[in-house]
Amino acid sequence: NSLVLSLNTNLAWNKNKSFINNAENTSSTYIVGQGARIVWNYKEKLDFNLAGNINYNMAEYSLQPQNNVNYFTNSVIADVTYTFPNGLILGTEVDYFVNSGLADGFNQNYTIWNASIAKQVFKDKRGEIKLRVYDGLKQNVGISRTVSETYIQDVSNVVLQRYFMLSFTYNINRLAAQRQEQQRMDRMMNGR
C-alpha cells in the first residue's frame, strides 16, 4: 500500500518589447499556478489518482492597456484502475476543465471521460487485450488562448471526439513487464 501527496507551484513571467507605429510597446505576461495530486495504491489491485490545478494568467500592455486581461484555467483529474485476480482490469478517468475570463463563447467548462476494460493473457500475464473509449461524453473541445506582444487570440478547434480503440500488447520478456509497471506508476504520479 502506498499513499503519496505532491504539491507543485508554477510561477512564470515573460516581458517583450515591440513597436506599434514607431512607438515602443512593452508586454508582460504572468502566470501563477498551484497544483496538488494524491496517488493511492492498495495491494497492487486498486490505483487511485486525484489531481487539481489552478492557474491565474495576466497580460499587460504599455501602449494598449485596454487589451490587459486576467483569466483562469483550472482542471480536476480523477483516475481509478482496479485489477481483478483473474487478470481483468477496469479503468476510468474523468478530466474536468474550467475556462474563465476568455472572450464570449470561449468560457466553456467541459468533462472528458475515458474508460477501459482489459484482460491480461498468456503465461505470466505478458499479453493484454484492451478496449478503450475516449471522450465517452462527447464533450471534448479544443479551446486555446494565444497572448503575444500586440494581440490576444482565443481559438476553438475541431477535435476528435468519442472513439473506441481495441489494442493488443505483448511483453517479450520479464524486464518489459517490469518496465510497463514502472511506466504505469510514472503515469499515475505525473498525470499520464
Side-chain angles (χ1 to χ4, degrees), residues 52-90:
N53 290 294
I54 183 168
N55 289 297
Y56 181 64
N57 305 268
M58 298 169 283
E60 298 176 347
Y61 301 91
S62 63
L63 284 182
Q64 302 164 318
Q66 70 276 10
N67 288 343
N68 293 356
V69 293
N70 301 323
Y71 61 97
F72 284 95
T73 54
N74 310 305
S75 64
V76 177
I77 298 166
D79 301 326
V80 179
T81 304
Y82 189 82
T83 303
F84 292 91
N86 63 358
L88 185 67
I89 303 169
L90 296 178

Coordinates of all heavy atoms in Angstrom, one line a residue, residues 52-90:
G52 N -5.6 18.3 -9.0 CA -6.2 19.6 -9.4 C -5.2 20.6 -9.6 O -4.1 20.6 -9.0
N53 N -5.5 21.5 -10.6 CA -4.6 22.6 -10.9 C -5.4 23.9 -11.1 O -6.5 23.8 -11.7 CB -3.8 22.3 -12.2 CG -2.8 21.2 -12.0 OD1 -1.8 21.4 -11.3 ND2 -3.0 20.1 -12.7
I54 N -4.9 25.0 -10.7 CA -5.5 26.3 -10.9 C -4.4 27.2 -11.4 O -3.3 27.2 -10.8 CB -6.2 26.8 -9.7 CG1 -6.9 28.1 -10.0 CG2 -5.3 26.9 -8.5 CD1 -7.9 28.6 -9.0
N55 N -4.6 27.9 -12.5 CA -3.6 28.9 -13.0 C -4.3 30.2 -13.2 O -5.4 30.3 -13.8 CB -3.0 28.4 -14.3 CG -2.1 27.2 -14.1 OD1 -1.1 27.3 -13.5 ND2 -2.5 26.1 -14.7
Y56 N -3.6 31.3 -12.7 CA -4.1 32.6 -12.9 C -3.1 33.3 -13.9 O -1.9 33.3 -13.7 CB -4.1 33.4 -11.6 CG -4.6 34.8 -11.7 CD1 -5.9 35.1 -12.1 CD2 -3.8 35.9 -11.4 CE1 -6.3 36.4 -12.2 CE2 -4.2 37.2 -11.5 CZ -5.5 37.4 -11.9 OH -5.9 38.7 -12.0
N57 N -3.7 33.8 -15.0 CA -2.9 34.3 -16.1 C -3.2 35.8 -16.2 O -4.4 36.2 -16.2 CB -3.2 33.6 -17.4 CG -3.1 32.2 -17.3 OD1 -2.0 31.6 -17.6 ND2 -4.1 31.5 -16.9
M58 N -2.1 36.6 -16.4 CA -2.3 38.1 -16.6 C -1.5 38.5 -17.8 O -0.3 38.0 -18.0 CB -1.8 38.9 -15.4 CG -2.6 38.6 -14.1 SD -1.8 39.3 -12.7 CE -0.5 38.1 -12.4
A59 N -2.0 39.4 -18.6 CA -1.3 40.0 -19.7 C -1.5 41.5 -19.6 O -2.6 42.0 -19.5 CB -1.7 39.5 -21.0
E60 N -0.4 42.3 -19.7 CA -0.4 43.8 -19.6 C 0.4 44.4 -20.8 O 1.4 43.9 -21.1 CB 0.2 44.2 -18.3 CG -0.6 43.7 -17.1 CD 0.1 44.1 -15.8 OE1 1.3 44.6 -15.8 OE2 -0.6 44.0 -14.7
Y61 N -0.2 45.5 -21.3 CA 0.4 46.2 -22.4 C 0.6 47.6 -22.1 O -0.3 48.3 -21.6 CB -0.5 46.0 -23.7 CG -0.7 44.6 -24.1 CD1 -1.8 43.9 -23.6 CD2 0.2 44.0 -24.9 CE1 -2.0 42.6 -24.0 CE2 0.0 42.7 -25.3 CZ -1.1 42.0 -24.8 OH -1.3 40.7 -25.2
S62 N 1.8 48.2 -22.4 CA 2.0 49.6 -22.1 C 1.3 50.5 -23.1 O 0.8 51.6 -22.6 CB 3.5 49.9 -22.1 OG 4.1 49.7 -23.4
L63 N 1.2 50.2 -24.4 CA 0.5 51.1 -25.3 C -0.9 50.8 -25.5 O -1.7 51.7 -25.9 CB 1.2 51.0 -26.7 CG 2.5 51.7 -26.9 CD1 3.0 51.5 -28.3 CD2 2.5 53.1 -26.5
Q64 N -1.3 49.6 -25.1 CA -2.7 49.2 -25.3 C -3.3 48.6 -24.0 O -3.7 47.5 -23.9 CB -2.8 48.1 -26.4 CG -2.3 48.6 -27.7 CD -2.0 47.4 -28.7 OE1 -1.6 46.4 -28.3 NE2 -2.4 47.6 -29.9
P65 N -3.4 49.5 -23.0 CA -3.9 48.9 -21.7 C -5.4 48.4 -21.8 O -5.8 47.6 -21.0 CB -3.8 50.2 -20.8 CG -3.7 51.3 -21.6 CD -3.1 50.9 -22.9
Q66 N -6.1 48.8 -22.8 CA -7.5 48.3 -23.0 C -7.4 46.8 -23.3 O -8.4 46.0 -23.2 CB -8.2 49.0 -24.1 CG -7.7 48.8 -25.5 CD -6.6 49.7 -25.9 OE1 -6.0 50.4 -25.1 NE2 -6.3 49.7 -27.2
N67 N -6.2 46.3 -23.7 CA -6.1 44.8 -24.0 C -5.6 44.0 -22.8 O -5.5 42.8 -22.9 CB -5.1 44.6 -25.2 CG -5.7 45.0 -26.5 OD1 -6.9 45.2 -26.7 ND2 -4.8 45.2 -27.5
N68 N -5.3 44.7 -21.7 CA -4.9 44.0 -20.5 C -6.0 42.9 -20.1 O -7.2 43.3 -20.1 CB -4.7 44.9 -19.3 CG -3.5 45.8 -19.5 OD1 -2.8 45.7 -20.5 ND2 -3.3 46.7 -18.6
V69 N -5.6 41.7 -19.8 CA -6.5 40.7 -19.4 C -6.0 39.9 -18.2 O -4.8 39.8 -18.0 CB -6.8 39.7 -20.6 CG1 -7.5 40.4 -21.8 CG2 -5.5 39.0 -21.1
N70 N -7.0 39.3 -17.5 CA -6.8 38.4 -16.4 C -7.7 37.2 -16.7 O -8.9 37.5 -16.9 CB -7.0 39.0 -15.1 CG -6.2 40.2 -14.8 OD1 -5.0 40.3 -15.2 ND2 -6.8 41.2 -14.2
Y71 N -7.2 36.0 -16.6 CA -8.1 34.9 -16.8 C -7.6 33.6 -16.0 O -6.4 33.6 -15.7 CB -8.3 34.5 -18.3 CG -7.1 34.2 -19.0 CD1 -6.7 32.9 -19.2 CD2 -6.2 35.2 -19.5 CE1 -5.6 32.5 -19.9 CE2 -5.1 34.8 -20.2 CZ -4.8 33.5 -20.4 OH -3.6 33.2 -21.1
F72 N -8.5 32.7 -15.8 CA -8.1 31.5 -15.1 C -8.3 30.3 -16.0 O -9.1 30.2 -16.9 CB -9.1 31.2 -13.9 CG -8.9 32.1 -12.7 CD1 -9.6 33.2 -12.5 CD2 -8.0 31.7 -11.8 CE1 -9.4 34.0 -11.4 CE2 -7.7 32.4 -10.6 CZ -8.5 33.6 -10.5
T73 N -7.4 29.3 -15.8 CA -7.6 27.9 -16.4 C -7.4 27.0 -15.2 O -6.5 27.0 -14.4 CB -6.5 27.7 -17.5 OG1 -5.2 27.9 -16.9 CG2 -6.7 28.5 -18.7
N74 N -8.4 26.1 -15.1 CA -8.4 25.1 -14.0 C -8.7 23.7 -14.5 O -9.4 23.6 -15.5 CB -9.5 25.5 -13.0 CG -9.5 27.0 -12.6 OD1 -8.5 27.4 -12.1 ND2 -10.6 27.7 -12.8
S75 N -8.3 22.7 -13.8 CA -8.6 21.4 -14.1 C -8.6 20.5 -12.9 O -7.9 20.7 -11.9 CB -7.6 20.8 -15.2 OG -6.3 20.7 -14.6
V76 N -9.5 19.5 -13.0 CA -9.5 18.4 -11.9 C -9.5 17.1 -12.7 O -10.3 16.9 -13.6 CB -10.8 18.5 -11.1 CG1 -10.9 17.4 -10.1 CG2 -10.9 19.9 -10.4
I77 N -8.7 16.2 -12.2 CA -8.5 14.9 -12.9 C -8.6 13.8 -11.9 O -8.0 13.9 -10.8 CB -7.1 14.8 -13.6 CG1 -7.0 15.9 -14.6 CG2 -6.9 13.5 -14.2 CD1 -5.6 16.2 -15.1
A78 N -9.4 12.8 -12.2 CA -9.5 11.6 -11.3 C -9.4 10.3 -12.2 O -10.1 10.2 -13.2 CB -10.9 11.6 -10.6
D79 N -8.5 9.4 -11.7 CA -8.3 8.2 -12.4 C -8.4 7.0 -11.4 O -7.9 7.1 -10.3 CB -6.9 8.1 -13.0 CG -6.6 9.1 -14.0 OD1 -7.5 9.5 -14.7 OD2 -5.4 9.5 -14.1
V80 N -9.1 6.0 -11.8 CA -9.3 4.8 -10.9 C -9.1 3.6 -11.8 O -9.7 3.5 -12.9 CB -10.6 4.7 -10.2 CG1 -10.7 3.5 -9.4 CG2 -10.9 6.0 -9.4
T81 N -8.2 2.7 -11.4 CA -8.0 1.4 -12.1 C -8.0 0.3 -11.1 O -7.4 0.4 -10.0 CB -6.6 1.4 -12.8 OG1 -6.5 2.5 -13.7 CG2 -6.4 0.1 -13.6
Y82 N -8.8 -0.8 -11.4 CA -8.8 -1.9 -10.5 C -8.4 -3.2 -11.3 O -9.0 -3.4 -12.4 CB -10.2 -2.1 -9.9 CG -10.2 -3.2 -8.8 CD1 -9.8 -2.9 -7.5 CD2 -10.6 -4.5 -9.1 CE1 -9.7 -3.8 -6.5 CE2 -10.5 -5.4 -8.1 CZ -10.1 -5.1 -6.8 OH -10.0 -6.1 -5.8
T83 N -7.5 -4.0 -10.7 CA -7.1 -5.3 -11.3 C -7.7 -6.4 -10.5 O -7.4 -6.6 -9.3 CB -5.5 -5.3 -11.4 OG1 -5.0 -4.2 -12.0 CG2 -5.1 -6.6 -12.1
F84 N -8.5 -7.2 -11.2 CA -9.1 -8.4 -10.5 C -8.1 -9.6 -10.6 O -7.2 -9.6 -11.4 CB -10.4 -8.8 -11.3 CG -11.5 -7.8 -11.1 CD1 -11.6 -6.7 -12.0 CD2 -12.3 -7.9 -10.0 CE1 -12.6 -5.8 -11.8 CE2 -13.4 -6.9 -9.8 CZ -13.5 -5.9 -10.8
P85 N -8.2 -10.5 -9.7 CA -7.3 -11.7 -9.6 C -7.2 -12.5 -10.9 O -6.2 -13.1 -11.2 CB -7.8 -12.6 -8.5 CG -8.6 -11.6 -7.6 CD -9.2 -10.6 -8.5
N86 N -8.3 -12.5 -11.7 CA -8.3 -13.3 -12.9 C -7.6 -12.5 -14.1 O -7.7 -13.0 -15.2 CB -9.7 -13.7 -13.3 CG -10.6 -12.5 -13.6 OD1 -10.2 -11.3 -13.5 ND2 -11.9 -12.8 -14.0
G87 N -7.0 -11.3 -13.9 CA -6.3 -10.6 -14.9 C -7.2 -9.6 -15.6 O -6.8 -9.0 -16.6
L88 N -8.5 -9.4 -15.2 CA -9.4 -8.4 -15.8 C -9.1 -7.1 -15.1 O -8.9 -7.0 -13.9 CB -10.8 -8.8 -15.5 CG -11.9 -7.9 -16.2 CD1 -11.8 -8.1 -17.7 CD2 -13.3 -8.3 -15.6
I89 N -8.9 -6.0 -16.0 CA -8.6 -4.7 -15.5 C -9.6 -3.7 -15.9 O -9.9 -3.6 -17.1 CB -7.2 -4.2 -16.0 CG1 -6.1 -5.2 -15.6 CG2 -6.9 -2.8 -15.5 CD1 -4.8 -5.0 -16.3
L90 N -10.3 -3.0 -15.0 CA -11.2 -2.0 -15.3 C -10.6 -0.6 -15.0 O -10.0 -0.5 -13.9 CB -12.5 -2.1 -14.5 CG -13.3 -3.4 -14.8 CD1 -14.5 -3.5 -13.9 CD2 -13.7 -3.5 -16.2

